[in-house]
Amino acid sequence: MKNVHKLTEGVVLLAAFAVLLLMSLYLPIIGTIVTFGLPVPFMLFAAKNKRSDAAIFFVAAILISFIVGTITAIPLTLIFGLTGLVIGELIKLKKERTAMLLGGSLAFLAMFLLVFAGMNVLLNINFVEELKVVLEQSMDMTKNMLSTIDNNEAEQIIEQLEATITALETLLPSLLVLSSAMYVFIIQLIGVPIVRRFGIEVKKWRSFADISFPKSILWYYLLTILAQFVMRPEEGSFTTMAIMNLLFVLQLIMVIQGLAFIFFYSRLKNWPKIVPIAILIFTFLMPIFLYIVRILGIIDIGFDLRKRLDNRDA
């Protein structure tokens, strides 16, 4: 009876996945939103069953995606299916939501890169080169549009655009990591309430005010800045790309640390909840706030501000 129930449950979830997949493939606007729901059947099945059963479910989903959407649907199933299985497994292991975010993001990114490499080898499609072509075409169109403007102003705008495009190309690895994390965060927002509806316990998020990174992160940050000044690598080289991406990620971590400290201090002083939220919004809207919050994060890690404040108020 248990095997029959498991088989029935698997068939129902596969049918739900097939419907979601069809909607994501053939409905232009709604399909983009529905895509975030693709991992949910995998999350549900993995959270309630053994890994071997989840692997069989994954293979069956790939076969169904080939039938209902041809070979073009398989990449979606591989990326979102594996992500859902990893999150479901972490739910079964009673892990925190932060661990689900990290594990799901790694699974999403790893499968995305594998699919990307596979399409490059099998279909000779290089998305990076295609992106560069699109950006160059946009740049040419912009230059034509600016040809009627004063030369000095046009040159300044073009220089800024070229610098932005260069930065985007250099920071592409970091942007992929952030995009993966954002995707998985949205997947959790959609999927976790559904999983709970089926009676599966899912741990809550740890309070943002309690997030704190280890001191070693600060040393990595300082060493990366030092390497940038000492090595002075050539623009466009692999070393430059590695240092810039590492610096970008570490700076983002410092900003998160600074914002977490602001939320902690707000909770300590019983400020209205709107105050830290407003600071968070202004941080990403105004660059000056971004620098201040980053410095605050560095001080918090380096001098254990939260422990000092807790001890003082104890």
Side-chain angles (χ1 to χ4, degrees), residues 77-102:
T77 305
L78 291 173
I79 295 170
F80 288 97
L82 183 67
T83 303
L85 289 179
V86 170
I87 296 174
E89 179 67 21
L90 292 171
I91 290 172
K92 186 172 66 177
L93 295 173
K94 309 295 183 185
K95 297 295 183 180
E96 290 184 352
R97 295 283 292 275
T98 307
M100 292 181 213
L101 179 63
L102 292 174

Side-chain angles (χ1 to χ4, degrees), residues 16-298:
F17 168 73
V19 173
L20 291 171
L21 185 63
L22 285 170
M23 292 174 68
S24 63
L25 287 172
Y26 300 113
L27 296 178
I29 299 173
I30 299 174
T32 305
I33 301 170
V34 171
T35 303
F36 291 102
L38 288 176
V40 175
F42 297 90
M43 290 168 61
L44 278 167
F45 195 84
K48 297 176 69 176
N49 297 282
K50 296 185 295 184
R51 292 179 186 176
S52 56
D53 295 329
I56 295 170
F57 182 86
F58 185 52
V59 173
I62 293 172
L63 294 174
I64 287 174
S65 65
F66 179 74
I67 294 169
V68 302
T70 69
I71 197 169
T72 56
I74 292 178
L76 279 176
T77 305
L78 291 173
I79 295 170
F80 288 97
L82 183 67
T83 303
L85 289 179
V86 170
I87 296 174
E89 179 67 21
L90 292 171
I91 290 172
K92 186 172 66 177
L93 295 173
K94 309 295 183 185
K95 297 295 183 180
E96 290 184 352
R97 295 283 292 275
T98 307
M100 292 181 213
L101 179 63
L102 292 174
S105 299
L106 288 173
F108 186 97
L109 181 62
M111 190 52 68
F112 178 84
L113 292 174
L114 283 174
V115 168
F116 173 82
M119 294 184 73
N120 191 14
V121 172
L122 298 174
L123 304 176
N124 198 27
I125 299 175
N126 191 324
F127 288 106
V128 176
E129 292 300 324
E130 294 290 333
L131 179 62
K132 286 182 179 179
V133 170
V134 171
L135 290 174
E136 287 173 1
Q137 289 176 348
S138 300
M139 194 68 192
D140 292 337
M141 290 176 60
T142 305
K143 286 179 179 178
N144 292 331
M145 290 172 62
L146 293 173
S147 60
T148 57
I149 303 177
D150 180 65
N151 287 336
N152 291 332
E153 291 184 12
E155 286 178 5
Q156 288 178 359
I157 295 172
I158 290 170
E159 286 177 3
Q160 290 175 356
L161 287 172
E162 287 177 344
T164 303
I165 290 172
T166 303
L168 286 173
E169 292 176 355
T170 303
L171 295 173
L172 185 59
S174 295
L175 295 174
L176 283 175
V177 173
L178 290 177
S179 299
S180 300
M182 286 301 298
Y183 262 97
V184 174
F185 181 75
I186 296 170
I187 287 167
Q188 283 200 55
L189 287 180
I190 296 171
V192 167
I194 297 173
V195 171
R196 282 179 174 152
R197 285 274 183 152
F198 283 83
I200 301 171
E201 183 185 352
V202 183
K203 286 198 172 184
K204 295 182 178 180
W205 287 101
R206 186 171 55 170
S207 174
F208 185 67
D210 296 325
I211 293 175
S212 184
F213 296 95
K215 276 191 176 181
S216 57
I217 292 290
L218 182 58
W219 288 110
Y220 297 146
Y221 181 53
L222 294 174
L223 288 171
T224 306
I225 294 174
L226 184 64
Q228 186 182 27
F229 282 104
V230 172
M231 297 176 67
R232 296 186 179 276
E234 294 182 6
E235 189 175 341
S237 66
F238 176 80
T239 307
T240 300
M241 180 176 286
I243 290 175
M244 291 298 292
N245 279 277
L246 187 57
L247 191 60
F248 177 78
V249 172
L250 290 171
Q251 285 177 341
L252 182 61
I253 288 173
M254 295 302 165
V255 171
I256 294 171
Q257 180 80 21
L259 288 170
F261 173 80
I262 291 169
F263 275 76
F264 165 83
Y265 192 78
S266 174
R267 184 177 65 188
L268 192 69
K269 298 299 181 181
N270 293 318
W271 289 351
K273 289 184 178 180
I274 190 64
V275 174
I277 293 171
I279 293 173
L280 187 148
I281 294 170
F282 277 111
T283 297
F284 292 99
L285 289 179
M286 302 177 68
I288 185 65
F289 279 95
L290 198 63
Y291 297 133
I292 294 170
V293 171
R294 188 194 304 162
I295 293 169
L296 187 59
I298 293 170

